[in-house]
Amino acid sequence: MNEVGAFLVGCTCRHWQGGRNCTRYLGVLGAVGMHKPTLARVIAAPFLFFIVLLIAAWTSGYQEIICEETKRGEELCSAYNLAFFFLIKLREFVDKYDGLITALATLAIGAFTYTLWKSTDKLWRAGRDEFIAGRRPWTGIVSVKMGSSLSISETSVTGTLSFELRNFGNSPAEYVLGQAKFFAFEQVGDAVQFSGRAERTLGSVGTTIFPGQILPDQNIGFFTLPEEGFISPTQSGFLAGNIRYFFSVDDSFHTTPFVYLLSRNDGSALFDGNPTIIKADDLTILPTPMGKSPT
């Protein structure tokens, strides 16, 4: 629409002014056309075009005749400057289609109000997110070790992880809970997916970690029943899960996921198919870059 408007203004200038000021008019509308169209620009473009056209008509020197019929059936004709001619015709158009114009104006105002609301809401959400990011708790894992021996058989894996946790944020982390589960080495995909789940244990209330506070020896027990009904022999396995905590300001739970590689110190198979109990000192836990991102 802007390009067509610029073309028409250019033609008008050449016809009425012999080409004078055409570059200026085209430059004004051309600048409008270079920007991304918005509701304000869509409304402003035809208005600007009309103003330029009115100025060109005012300076053209041309006149038009308007005739009106009197009550006696006679015609009274008067000559008007081209700019006044346009204004008079515009008034007649407005009087004739005032209902339609009112409806269109109402729609335009409604669209503008909606756009303003969307912009305000987006700005408010950005401010809220920035505030929450600066004030929320961030519970991190300082260290982890086996808190008990590992009991492993074809039908179950049981043990305990012992964490040292710290709140690196600026608000208390409430209802802090942890969950963990054992996965065989070939189940790495399932381990990563499980680390992103924030499942709450029924009947548990968790604890609270204040900003800068360190809580040692936070034990998380795991009792794994394999979905297939048995556990295959494996050289090593994964302990996956997360630390979940609550922030009252955004009324949401956040998680710190983890996926650890579990193996024997001597490099022998973690599980060879025979039920066994492995002491905590004989196990090695190594962090991995896998796991879901913290939330």
Side-chain angles (χ1 to χ4, degrees), residues 3 32 48 64 72 79 91 124 134 136 139 169 175 180 198 207 222 225 271 278 281:
E3 289 78 3
V32 175
L48 180 61
E64 290 287 344
R72 298 179 180 180
R91 186 196 65 184
W124 178 83
R136 59 160 288 184
T139 300
Y175 307 113
T207 187
F222 55 90
L225 295 175
F271 178 56
I278 309 173
D281 293 339

Side-chain angles (χ1 to χ4, degrees), residues 120-197:
T120 304
D121 182 68
K122 185 177 180 180
L123 183 63
W124 178 83
R125 290 179 181 274
R128 183 198 63 176
D129 293 343
E130 183 178 357
F131 171 79
I132 290 175
R135 299 301 305 170
R136 59 160 288 184
W138 291 94
T139 300
I141 300 172
V142 179
S143 63
V144 61
K145 62 182 180 180
M146 286 296 298
S148 68
S149 299
L150 180 72
S151 176
I152 183 169
S153 67
E154 287 187 342
T155 57
S156 67
V157 180
T158 59
T160 302
L161 284 174
S162 181
F163 290 90
E164 182 177 326
L165 305 177
R166 179 178 178 178
N167 184 355
F168 293 92
N170 297 306
S171 296
E174 304 174 74
Y175 307 113
V176 181
L177 291 170
Q179 63 174 354
K181 187 176 179 180
F182 175 84
F183 295 88
F185 189 79
E186 61 272 13
Q187 295 176 303
V188 58
D190 296 333
V192 172
Q193 291 298 321
F194 181 78
S195 70
R197 301 177 190 170

